[in-house]
Amino acid sequence: MKKIIITGRRPAATELNMAPLIDMIFILLIFFLVTTSFVNEAGLERKKPQPSMKTSQTEKRTNVTLGIMADNSIWDSEEGRSIDIKSIRAYIENFLVEAPKGTVVIAADKDSLIGTVVKVMDSCRLAGVINVSVAPMTSGGDR
Amino acid sequence: MAPLIDMIFILLIFFLVTASFVKTPGIDIQKPYAETAENRKKTNLVIGVAQDSTIWVEGRMIDIRDTRSYLERFLQETPNGTVVISADEESRSEITLLLHDHCQAAGIKEVYIGAANK
């Protein structure tokens, strides 16, 4: 058996009282839990067409301009044909075979719906176009 | 114990001041679906465009002509703030594109068009 020999009085209050600290930390934790808003917004980046994209030096088409009309129909302005929203991806994939680094310009009529614009943007990006830009349609100019 | 609690108070005040809260439009928006939409971690402001093409920020409706001054004030409060324009899929595209232009003109570098990706 060991003997504990008390040689002198130990100084008082060597132990920290942890209770208020833990209270405090809990209050902080709850505060940040309540105020932190878990808003996780997803979004698409929009590019604007550069002036150089309009002029193609070569014979080959390097960009497609998709016009979205007020009635949400989609037209290829250079070929003058309408495209169904579901076949845009295939259409753009076809175009990319000819011009692998081709760009797409979406010209949206001011009365077209943003849902259509986003769908077209999404289809183009899914088809693999790196540079998709969106611009408002200049009155009567793009078709 | 007292200095420790003091320090924690200082920390609390520090976080209160620096915490960036997302300003939400406060309206219900049916966002368009886009598979390629990427999550934007640090969003500071969400501008809502309702189905009837009205613009909402922080729970109130603002006119398109007032957005410029609002955005400049926002940028002063939150330099390098990220803005997401969350437009209802049945709103007119003109509003979103105009808002995007206004954001860039005000000097906001990161502006995204809101979409749901799941």
Side-chain angles (χ1 to χ4, degrees):
Chain A
M1 248 179 89
K2 279 180 185 171
K3 263 189 183 172
I4 300 164
I5 305 157
I6 301 165
T7 52
R9 277 183 60 177
R10 288 179 54 172
T14 46
E15 209 171 285
L16 281 173
N17 187 6
M18 293 306 274
L21 179 71
I22 291 164
D23 284 4
M24 193 66 210
I25 288 168
F26 261 109
I27 289 168
L28 274 175
L29 176 71
I30 291 160
F31 171 79
F32 281 109
L33 267 177
V34 170
T35 54
T36 310
S37 48
F38 296 98
V39 180
N40 210 350
E41 284 292 323
L44 292 166
E45 200 171 351
R46 175 205 171 193
K47 285 193 182 117
K48 288 184 204 169
Q50 302 296 312
S52 59
M53 284 161 61
K54 286 268 176 187
T55 52
S56 52
Q57 243 73 46
T58 50
E59 289 285 302
K60 267 187 187 169
R61 264 177 104 192
T62 53
N63 71 66
V64 168
T65 306
L66 294 172
I68 302 171
M69 300 294 126
D71 58 356
N72 294 308
S73 62
I74 300 145
W75 291 76
D76 182 331
S77 56
E78 278 158 66
E79 296 199 343
R81 51 177 284 204
S82 87
I83 311 154
D84 189 78
I85 190 139
K86 291 186 197 88
S87 55
I88 290 218
R89 188 173 169 181
Y91 186 82
I92 297 298
E93 272 168 355
N94 249 359
F95 156 71
L96 277 184
V97 172
E98 292 167 37
K101 285 193 176 164
T103 58
V104 173
V105 178
I106 298 165
D109 188 279
K110 61 184 169 65
D111 287 323
S112 63
L113 302 182
I114 194 72
T116 315
V117 177
V118 169
K119 257 179 236 155
V120 174
M121 271 175 92
D122 194 36
S123 307
C124 293
R125 286 161 61 111
L126 280 173
V129 181
I130 300 152
N131 204 330
V132 183
S133 53
V134 185
M137 193 180 284
T138 46
S139 50
D142 271 298
R143 243 183 92 179
Chain B
M1 192 51 81
L4 185 67
I5 291 168
D6 284 4
M7 209 190 74
I8 289 172
F9 260 113
I10 289 167
L11 272 177
L12 173 72
I13 291 160
F14 171 78
F15 280 118
L16 262 178
V17 171
T18 56
S20 63
F21 299 100
V22 183
K23 295 186 174 97
T24 50
I27 49 161
D28 201 29
I29 293 161
Q30 184 67 44
K31 281 190 282 184
Y33 173 80
E35 242 173 87
T36 55
E38 293 152 44
N39 282 340
R40 308 295 171 188
K41 281 280 149 59
K42 274 197 74 182
T43 308
N44 302 100
L45 173 68
V46 181
I47 306 174
V49 180
Q51 201 171 352
D52 56 356
S53 299
T54 51
I55 300 156
W56 294 75
V57 281
E58 290 176 70
R60 62 196 166 86
M61 196 180 108
I62 60 167
D63 195 88
I64 183 85
R65 282 163 292 185
D66 301 330
T67 49
R68 186 70 191 268
S69 60
Y70 175 83
L71 287 167
E72 272 162 10
R73 228 177 319 125
F74 161 76
L75 203 65
Q76 274 183 345
E77 283 171 31
T78 333
N80 300 320
T82 301
V83 176
V84 171
I85 303 166
S86 190
D88 195 284
E89 58 182 346
E90 288 183 19
S91 67
R92 288 162 58 226
S93 64
E94 183 195 20
I95 305 293
T96 305
L97 297 186
L98 259 176
L99 273 174
H100 191 279
D101 288 344
H102 283 201
C103 287
Q104 288 196 325
I108 297 164
K109 287 182 196 83
E110 288 189 79
V111 191
Y112 302 104
I113 296 170
N117 56 2
K118 53 178 168 285

